[in-house]
Amino acid sequence: MRQHYEFTSESVSEGHPDKVSDRISDEIVDLFFRESVRAGMSPWDVRVAAETLTTTDKVVIAGETRGSDKITNAMIAQTTRAAIKDIGYEQAGFHWETVDIDILLHAQSADIAQGVDDGSGLHAEEGAGDQGIMFGYACSEPPDLMPAPVYYSHKILERLAKARKLEGETWLGPDSKSQVTVRYENGKPVGASAIVLSTQHLDENMSSADVAKLVKPYIYAELPEGGITDNTIWHINPTGKFVIGGPDGDTGLTGRKIIVDTYGGAAPHGGGAFSGKDPTKVDRSAAYAARYLSKNIVAAGIADWVNIQLSYAIGVAQPTSIYVDMGGKGQVSETAVEKAIGEVMSLTPRGIREHLGLNNPIYARTSAYGHFGRTPDGDGGLSWEKTDLVDALKLAL
């Protein structure tokens, strides 16, 4: 890998129209897990593939589900409105109380179900919900084994959301985007050479300079000491005005920010998005497993960075391939790590769901600020960010 270079990644806030769509889709996944289990149904039988479109005064939800028959369209609409309210949309053009909601969910295809359900298809074990390739990545960059550009892009927007919701910065709107260019020397991040921020502001009289004066302290607080210098280039609301935001300003769709969701372009991405999908869909669950394994490999000191690819066939339980890349500079060979991965964790859909505790309503929280590089929650959320496999990997290797 190059030793001296600049690399850029972006993030978008929870109020970005695509992220509003992701949030609604993931709230529906959580709703089906929560209410189906409450009604006595096994979480292993829950299926959700919910896609959301958001635009001016309109939300359209479509897809396939299987769950408790006590889950009604009224409950789904109520869940949708609560999500929009929590994000902060009470604006002309998109308001949680008045937005029109169309719900077009129907039962999961029986042809797909027979390949996924345990013992009901051609194979005795629960199979993958689709074919595809999934990637996981980790690197030794602080603070959480994530590429610095995307990590700090997320943190800037998380900080502004906190200021808007909890600290009285009511002039801030929910919609915003960030972009951080990090300079690397000797392969290590040393500072930000450029920072871009576009944030919705609800005061029409504010200029770009006004916005910059108010947001810069929050940005300084999120980057490490010395990360911003006199040579850092700033672009704050470079168009000059950003009042019309969210779905009223631009249409949103579930799954359209997949690079934001993962590694900011620093590593490959598979063919599928995450949000709106239950964990039988391996483009979500196996991507989580690949990140989990990658993070533990780096945490164990086996390599400075690792990229893992998994692949699956629909209806088949075992992955069709496991590929590990450590740039040929790991403490052991890639082949040895590929073998060890299969020894320390089952990579069948059922094995992943059991190991990471994915049959739970833990998904809405992942819909903004990245699925990776975050602190695991006490209720099992973000379990794929744990480093509890380090000892097992060392023993296997």
Side-chain angles (χ1 to χ4, degrees), residues 95-329:
H95 194 296
W96 65 272
E97 281 188 309
T98 58
V99 66
D100 184 50
I101 301 173
D102 284 351
I103 300 170
L104 307 173
L105 296 170
H106 59 83
Q108 184 187 40
S109 163
D111 290 348
I112 294 175
Q114 72 174 351
V116 177
D117 289 347
D118 194 2
S120 64
L122 299 175
H123 305 278
E125 188 176 356
E126 175 185 296
D130 203 351
Q131 69 174 47
I133 57 172
M134 303 85 210
F135 289 92
Y137 178 77
C139 58
S140 57
E141 295 177 31
D144 205 20
L145 308 186
M146 282 287 287
V150 71
Y151 180 86
Y152 290 114
S153 294
H154 289 323
K155 289 302 176 185
I156 288 169
L157 296 185
E158 280 189 287
R159 186 66 186 87
L160 291 181
K162 181 180 179 182
R164 172 174 60 89
K165 290 182 168 184
L166 302 176
E167 299 174 1
E169 298 284 15
T170 55
W171 62 272
L172 279 166
D175 194 357
S176 57
K177 302 178 75 171
S178 65
Q179 186 171 285
V180 177
T181 300
V182 172
R183 186 175 76 260
Y184 286 76
E185 294 179 3
N186 297 316
K188 303 295 183 183
V190 297
S193 54
I195 295 174
V196 181
L197 177 75
S198 294
T199 182
Q200 184 185 13
H201 53 95
L202 305 183
D203 183 349
E204 295 194 21
N205 296 317
M206 294 182 74
S207 66
S208 295
D210 295 330
V211 173
K213 182 178 180 181
L214 291 168
V215 301
K216 277 189 175 182
Y218 295 113
I219 297 173
Y220 271 98
E222 290 306 311
L223 268 72
E225 185 176 356
I228 299 174
T229 70
D230 292 340
N231 295 322
T232 300
I233 298 169
W234 292 84
H235 295 289
I236 307 294
N237 280 20
T239 63
K241 187 177 181 180
F242 186 4
V243 175
I244 301 171
D248 188 32
D250 192 9
T251 299
L253 292 170
T254 300
R256 200 158 56 176
K257 287 291 179 285
I258 57 177
I259 300 302
V260 170
D261 286 342
T262 53
Y263 309 103
H269 195 293
F274 302 157
S275 288
K277 298 175 181 178
D278 74 78
T280 65
K281 283 74 172 174
V282 283
D283 41 11
R284 182 171 212 165
S285 56
Y288 289 172
R291 161 63 180 174
Y292 173 66
L293 290 164
S294 296
K295 187 173 183 180
N296 277 270
I297 288 167
V298 175
I302 296 167
D304 287 336
W305 64 269
V306 60
N307 185 54
I308 295 175
Q309 184 204 60
L310 304 175
S311 66
Y312 290 83
I314 188 169
V316 179
Q318 294 291 340
T320 56
S321 67
I322 300 172
Y323 170 79
V324 172
D325 179 17
M326 301 185 297
K329 297 182 179 180

